[in-house]
Amino acid sequence: TALLVGVAGPDTGKRVAVVAQPVTIGRSSACEVASDDAEVSDRHVRVSLVAGRVAFDAVGDNAVFLDGQ
């Protein structure tokens, strides 16, 4: 299990546990994790665990930052 923590914007402090099943994050209510951030697209990113490591799959041309980069 990995723990994602929002560090900026309206989702600051929001915690999301990621297990083997991919989790989609975005503004859409169809996402497993809904965001209120206007800079997040309807389906922004999929996050999953692959071989014990966190994998990010940005949907479309979306930017995803990890550890500030």
Side-chain angles (χ1 to χ4, degrees):
T1 301
L3 181 65
L4 303 177
V5 180
V7 297
D11 295 318
T12 298
K14 183 181 242 182
R15 296 174 180 272
V16 177
V18 178
V19 293
Q21 191 78 350
V23 173
T24 302
I25 300 171
R27 286 194 330 260
S28 171
S29 61
C31 293
E32 289 82 10
V33 179
S35 173
D36 293 325
D37 193 327
E39 295 193 31
V40 171
S41 66
D42 287 344
R43 290 185 61 232
H44 198 83
V45 65
R46 279 186 302 273
V47 183
S48 58
L49 289 180
V50 177
R53 301 188 73 156
V54 178
F56 293 90
D57 181 13
V59 180
D61 294 331
N62 297 318
V64 176
F65 296 94
L66 178 61
D67 292 332
Q69 300 181 25

